[in-house]
């Protein structure tokens, strides 16, 4: 049946015309009959019974739909065709407050005709219509219309079976395989066997065979993939391959960041996996900043998440022994390190980011005849927390641009570092140089989350073109440092008025550790201990963010 009616949009009150209408029985219970209506935005299921309408009506937003399929059963005696639609709406949790994405499947039996092929054609017409309307839902983020993966999308899915609690493969089998099948996404599963396996694989792979590379692991596997892509001769094309991540490790910082960018409420564990799986199936793509990191004698690295020295790096690496407890390893590691707090001596310098207002003006877009800015974040002056003076680092008389790079890394693959001089050369006058002093930690972030439950840079976006630099000077008490990290769980640490914390947005930085021993990490991976410098490359990579 193809009757056209109208249904009110429950968000706007505007009436949406019904493009398809039919009456079908519910699979598994032929006594239950439903009126099913498809509008441009919703699939509406109304159970036909004497019960009042409101109790039997379900409105499913097509924005929450990942897929729909039509099929015949194996029973040759049954002429019916079947229609299954898969949704992951935000629903209230059973046992706690808040909402999370939960799987909802609606399956209908179409048997108006005796010819199975005719019934299948009708079911396929519905399935196509649901998929097309779901794909037409527009997604704006900060006023920007996001691009989508091509359909069908061919994915390479890399799984590290040893990450986190060692359950990544089980989580794939229990959740992700089904979600991708529901979304009609063909994928090839690759199980990594050793460290740098993924790096070697993507460095040599024929990327024309894949529309996206997806990682199911902790953040370390994505670090391998990004650096493998940038080691290719065709790195400029390779690094634009859309990258996806599914939480399968103990940190899962990028997965938590992607969930945060979707403006969803806080979730963890399998709820985070379902959220990221849903966003992956929607296939919306954003640009992502990468940060090049130059070390004194090791090859240049590219980072997507963080650069850490001191307390944060110590906790990250020293808590590896507690990996079997999953994300709780960081809590245990934090308490252990607080008990014997270390102080590190060094010098830190950075190039402050330009006024964020001018940044916004450069990326203003026009959408639906309205002027929409790419970002609505505050200027660097409004987001800089300085609690002591830079007495020997006046910002007066700054040059308008830095000296062109004479970095030895320029010949390597990947973009050149235009803001960095060789590590043994004096910095330009527009850099801020801190005096040699004692630090508890230095943390450079370019995503919002440092771990599933640590919202370290609440103002960060995947392509804001800045490094969010935090450092804590020596003299902070254990209680104050613990308070800082507890506040970081909700992203309120910048409001604690901690006199030892400094936060500034920068485009580049240089760190010179003077303490003989210590740990430096890039995206949670230990790197050479010694002087280093870093520069952000805006929007270099592509990230599937839904």
């Amino acid at each position: 049946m193809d009757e056209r009616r109208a249904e009110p949009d429950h968000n706007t009150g505007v009436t949406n015309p019904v493009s398809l209408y039919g009456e079908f029985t519910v699979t598994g219970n032929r006594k239950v009959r439903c009126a099913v209506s498809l509008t441009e935005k919703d699939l509406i299921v109304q159970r036909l019974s004497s019960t009042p309408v409101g109790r039997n009506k379900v409105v499913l937003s097509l924005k929450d739909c990942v897929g729909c399929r039509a099929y015949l059963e194996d029973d040759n005696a049954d002429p019916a065709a079947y229609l299954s639609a898969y949704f992951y709406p935000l629903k209230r949790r059973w046992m706690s407050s808040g909402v999370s994405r939960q799987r909802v499947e609606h399956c209908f039996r179409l048997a108006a005709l005796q010819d199975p092929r005719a019934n299948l054609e009708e079911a396929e017409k519905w399935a196509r219509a649901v998929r097309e309307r779901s794909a037409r839902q527009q997604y704006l983020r900060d006023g920007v219309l996001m691009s989508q993966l091509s359909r069908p999308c061919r994915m390479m899915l890399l799984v590290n079976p040893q990450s986190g609690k060692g359950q990544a493969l089980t989580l794939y089998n229990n959740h992700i395989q089904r979600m991708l099948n529901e979304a009609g996404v063909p994928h090839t599963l690759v199980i990594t066997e050793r460290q740098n396996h993924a790096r070697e694989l993507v460095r040599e792979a024929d990327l024309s065979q894949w529309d996206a590379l997806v990682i199911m692991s902790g953040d370390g596997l994505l670090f391998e993939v990004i650096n493998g892509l940038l080691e290719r001769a065709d790195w400029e094309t390779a690094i634009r391959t859309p990258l996806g991540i599914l939480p399968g490790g103990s940190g899962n910082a990028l997965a938590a960041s992607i969930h945060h960018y979707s403006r969803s409420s806080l979730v963890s564990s399998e709820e985070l996996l379902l959220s990221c799986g849903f966003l992956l199936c929607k296939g919306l793509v954003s640009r992502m900043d990468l940060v090049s990191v130059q070390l004194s004698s090791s090859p240049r690295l590219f980072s997507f998440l963080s650069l850490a020295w001191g307390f944060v790096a110590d906790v990250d690496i020293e808590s590896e022994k507690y990996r079997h407890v999953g994300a709780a390893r960081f809590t245990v590691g934090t308490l252990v390190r607080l008990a014997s707090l270390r102080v590190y001596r060094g010098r830190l310098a950075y190039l402050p980011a330009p006024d964020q207002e001018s940044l916004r003006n450069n990326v203003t877009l026009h959408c639906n005849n309205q002027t929409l800015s790419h970002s609505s974040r505050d200027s660097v002056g409004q987001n800089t927390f300085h609690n002591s003076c830079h007495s020997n680092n006046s910002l007066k008389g700054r040059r308008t641009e830095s000296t062109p790079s004479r970095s030895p890394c320029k010949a390597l693959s990947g973009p050149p570092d235009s803001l960095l001089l060789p590590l043994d050369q004096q910095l330009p006058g527009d850099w801020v140089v801190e005096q040699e002093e004692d630090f508890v930690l230095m943390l450079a972030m370019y995503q919002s989350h440092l771990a599933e439950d640590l919202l370290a840079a609440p103002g960060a976006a995947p392509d804001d073109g800045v490094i969010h630099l935090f450092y804590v000077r020596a003299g902070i008490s254990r209680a104050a440092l613990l308070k800082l990290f507890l506040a970081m769980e909700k992203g309120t640490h910048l409001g604690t008025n901690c006199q030892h914390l400094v936060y500034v947005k920068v485009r580049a930085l240089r760190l010179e550790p003077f303490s003989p021993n210590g740990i430096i990490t890039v995206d949670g991976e230990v790197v050479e201990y010694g002087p280093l410098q870093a520069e952000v490359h805006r929007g270099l990579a592509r990230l599937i963010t839904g």
Side-chain angles (χ1 to χ4, degrees):
M1 194 178 292
D2 200 2
E3 221 172 283
R4 295 179 182 270
R5 305 184 181 185
E7 289 284 346
D9 185 317
H10 292 271
N11 294 319
T12 65
V14 177
T15 298
N16 288 319
V18 172
S19 54
L20 282 177
Y21 174 84
E23 295 182 6
F24 315 125
T25 55
V26 174
T27 302
N29 187 351
R30 298 186 189 181
K31 293 181 180 180
V32 178
R33 193 164 181 81
C34 295
V36 183
S37 306
L38 179 65
T39 73
E40 198 60 35
K41 295 184 177 181
D42 302 306
L43 183 69
I44 302 155
V45 181
Q46 171 70 58
R47 185 170 176 174
L48 299 174
S49 71
S50 57
T51 312
V53 170
R55 298 182 186 178
N56 287 318
K57 186 175 182 179
V58 177
V59 179
L60 299 156
S61 171
L62 293 177
K63 281 192 174 183
D64 296 327
C65 179
V66 298
C68 188
R69 69 186 184 102
Y71 57 96
L72 294 173
E73 291 282 15
D74 294 332
D75 184 2
N76 293 329
D78 182 8
Y82 294 84
L83 177 71
S84 289
Y86 310 101
F87 294 80
Y88 286 81
L90 291 168
K91 300 180 71 175
R92 292 196 174 277
R93 300 184 180 100
W94 284 99
M95 302 298 292
S96 60
S97 60
V99 296
S100 64
R101 293 212 176 267
Q102 299 174 34
R103 182 178 182 272
V104 173
E105 177 183 358
H106 282 270
C107 189
F108 306 102
R109 182 175 183 271
L110 286 71
L113 303 171
Q114 288 302 311
D115 181 3
R117 284 319 203 181
N119 288 327
L120 182 60
E121 285 179 12
E122 179 69 10
E124 286 176 339
K125 180 179 74 174
W126 273 85
R128 275 194 308 274
V130 170
R131 291 194 300 266
E132 288 168 359
R133 283 156 180 76
S134 177
R136 284 206 292 263
Q137 303 304 306
Q138 290 191 333
Y139 294 83
L140 292 173
R141 180 162 299 159
D142 291 332
V144 176
L145 185 63
M146 299 171 70
S147 62
Q148 288 184 288
L149 288 173
S150 59
R151 299 289 184 177
C153 173
R154 302 160 300 168
M155 284 185 183
M156 179 193 291
L157 179 56
L158 296 129
V159 176
N160 177 4
Q162 305 303 320
S163 62
K165 296 181 180 180
Q167 296 180 338
L169 200 53
T170 300
L171 292 170
Y172 164 78
N173 290 327
N174 291 348
H175 298 287
I176 299 304
Q177 184 178 32
R178 180 176 66 182
M179 292 183 79
L180 292 177
N181 289 339
E182 291 170 350
V185 177
H187 62 284
T188 299
L189 180 67
V190 177
I191 299 175
T192 58
E193 299 171 356
R194 62 186 182 280
Q195 189 173 13
N196 284 321
H197 184 187
R199 187 174 191 157
E200 296 162 6
L201 192 150
V202 302
R203 189 168 56 214
E204 305 298 331
D206 178 6
L207 294 180
S208 67
Q209 303 298 310
W210 311 105
D211 298 308
L213 303 176
V214 179
I215 287 82
M216 186 165 184
S217 178
D219 297 302
L221 198 62
L222 184 58
F223 174 80
E224 286 189 24
V225 167
I226 286 172
N227 282 278
L229 292 173
L230 283 161
E231 288 166 358
R232 296 170 59 105
D234 62 345
W235 65 267
E236 289 181 271
T237 302
I239 198 58
R240 291 197 293 269
T241 304
L243 303 172
I245 192 158
L246 296 166
S250 49
N252 303 321
L254 184 59
S257 298
I258 289 173
H259 174 82
H260 175 72
Y261 301 146
S262 72
R263 296 184 173 85
S264 299
S265 58
L266 181 65
V267 295
S268 60
S269 304
E270 290 190 19
E271 289 182 349
L272 179 60
L273 178 63
L274 280 182
S275 174
C276 291
F278 168 79
L279 296 172
L280 178 66
C281 289
K282 299 306 287 186
L284 302 173
V285 181
S286 300
R287 293 175 180 265
M288 178 172 69
D289 298 340
L290 295 180
V291 170
S292 61
V293 181
Q294 295 182 14
L295 306 167
S296 58
S297 60
S298 300
R300 183 173 63 153
L301 300 171
F302 285 87
S303 168
F304 66 92
L305 178 66
S306 66
L307 169 64
W309 171 57
F311 185 85
V312 171
D314 293 349
V315 168
D316 194 5
I317 301 309
E318 293 172 4
S319 66
E320 283 282 344
K321 66 185 77 170
Y322 312 118
R323 179 175 288 276
H324 62 282
V325 301
R329 66 176 256 217
F330 300 109
T331 303
V332 176
T334 298
L335 295 175
V336 170
R337 183 47 43 225
L338 277 171
S340 54
L341 195 58
R342 296 170 182 157
V343 171
Y344 295 92
R345 192 155 191 82
R347 180 184 295 123
L348 180 64
Y350 53 85
L351 177 64
D355 182 4
Q356 297 300 290
E357 189 61 44
S358 63
L359 259 184
R360 282 204 300 277
N361 291 338
N362 290 334
V363 292
T364 298
L365 300 178
H366 295 274
C367 184
N368 297 331
N369 298 320
Q370 293 183 343
T371 301
L372 298 168
S373 66
H374 183 279
S375 172
S376 59
R377 275 162 279 279
D378 297 330
S379 71
V380 64
Q382 293 169 318
N383 280 283
T384 304
F385 289 72
H386 282 282
N387 298 304
S388 63
C389 297
H390 302 291
S391 56
N392 63 336
N393 297 301
S394 172
L395 302 185
K396 295 179 181 178
R398 280 186 182 159
R399 298 184 225 167
T400 56
E401 58 182 53
S402 297
T403 306
S405 173
R406 297 188 296 277
S407 168
C409 295
K410 196 168 184 178
L412 298 178
S413 62
D417 294 324
S418 61
L419 303 175
L420 302 178
L421 299 176
L423 276 164
D424 58 356
Q425 290 192 17
Q426 186 174 353
L427 290 166
D430 51 356
W431 284 59
V432 175
V433 182
E434 293 285 0
Q435 299 180 38
E436 178 182 335
E437 61 179 303
D438 292 331
F439 296 90
V440 171
L441 67 87
M442 186 281 294
L443 175 64
M445 293 288 302
Y446 1 109
Q447 303 292 344
S448 62
H449 280 67
L450 184 60
E452 274 188 28
D453 57 351
L454 287 178
L455 181 50
D463 63 340
D464 56 10
V466 297
I467 298 170
H468 298 260
L469 178 62
F470 303 83
Y471 54 98
V472 175
R473 296 189 175 94
I476 189 171
S477 67
R478 292 179 176 84
L481 188 59
L482 178 60
K483 179 182 177 182
L484 204 61
F485 276 85
L486 290 174
M488 195 181 289
E489 291 182 4
K490 295 183 179 180
T492 59
H493 49 294
L494 295 177
T496 59
N497 297 319
C498 175
Q499 296 303 304
H500 298 87
L501 171 66
V502 179
Y503 165 49
V504 62
K505 294 178 181 180
V506 306
R507 297 172 64 199
L509 64 88
R510 178 182 287 184
L511 172 67
E512 299 173 83
F514 297 139
S515 297
N517 299 307
I519 297 172
I520 295 174
T521 60
V522 174
D523 297 349
E525 304 296 311
V526 178
V527 298
E528 173 190 359
Y529 184 73
L532 62 81
Q533 54 188 5
E535 173 184 338
V536 64
H537 294 271
R538 187 172 192 179
L540 183 61
R542 302 295 181 269
L543 182 66
I544 303 170
T545 59

